[in-house]
Amino acid sequence: MPDFKQIIFSTQPNGIARIILNRPEARNAQDANMLYEINDAMDIAANDDQIKVIVVSANGPHFSAGHDLAEADPIGSLKEHKSVTSFGGLDGEGIEPMFGREQEIYYGFCERWRNIPKPTMVAVHGKVIAGGLMLVWPFDIVIASEDTTFQDNTVAMGICGAEFFNHPYELGVRKAKEMLFTSDFVSAEDAHRLGAVNHVVPRDELEDFTLNMAAKIAEKRLFSLKLTKMAVNAAQDNAGRNATNQQAFALHHLLHTNFALISGAPLAPEFIENFAKKKSG
Ligand code: ZN
């Protein structure tokens, strides 16, 4: 078992594996190490035939503040890990290292997690911001506490949506556009009404509610669960979900490249200025 530092991983005799984000001091902001830890834990749970369902949740006041924009060496930190996509290019020129990084730990991980061949659940609370959605959209069942709010503020950063672009499939195209154009928060209630969340429960019932449903799922045959998941995922993929994601990821990198040409940094200059001010103040 790897020595996890930013997550807590455990398995239960009733067939449930739990992954708990455990970086509350950083509001569970995801750096490369945390994402590799989640990916490693997903692999362990996926390869264990005793595990029928994987449950992700988070410690601290918020589920996740998104990607850790303050990560010291975003490219170098990837080289400490074995690549799962083998996309490479980390020593390349121009946008190549950044494209390789996001292809691996954002888009690549999210597609892998979505296609893990057994049911996955996520229990969210507090704020779920931008990259935080990448720990929600790829999972099969989403349980939210009443205080949960979802935000993708990447348009405020100058970009056209987070790297895993499932928004239209989660919220419908109207709400997806409103969420992105305004950078406003979407409430748990709205997300539930639109089908992006299975159930909304009081905060103090979130864990029990989620684990009770996981236990019910874990009573079923694993092979049947696997093929059921494949069948439902195929409905989205045959309707073009995968192609939509690939196109959105390319457009996302067009904007990263645009800002790199303008200012040498991959986000809108006004966003970077505000971010630096907030950090120093
Ligand atoms: Zn990006």
Side-chain angles (χ1 to χ4, degrees), residues 232-276:
V232 179
N233 277 7
Q236 274 191 328
D237 289 342
N238 289 337
R241 185 207 62 87
N242 207 331
T244 301
N245 257 278
Q246 285 173 5
Q247 183 170 344
F249 186 69
L251 296 173
H252 177 104
H253 272 271
L254 177 66
L255 284 166
H256 277 323
T257 309
N258 178 53
F259 292 116
L261 284 169
I262 290 171
S263 68
L267 299 174
E270 63 275 14
F271 175 80
I272 291 180
E273 209 172 289
N274 284 338
F275 184 76

Side-chain angles (χ1 to χ4, degrees), residues 168-201:
Y169 299 94
E170 304 292 335
L171 299 161
V173 292
R174 300 261 175 248
K175 195 67 176 179
K177 285 175 181 169
E178 180 187 328
M179 180 192 213
L180 290 161
F181 292 166
T182 63
S183 297
D184 282 346
F185 281 96
V186 174
S187 66
E189 192 189 317
D190 276 353
H192 178 243
R193 183 173 50 80
L194 294 164
V197 161
N198 292 76
H199 294 273
V200 180
V201 299

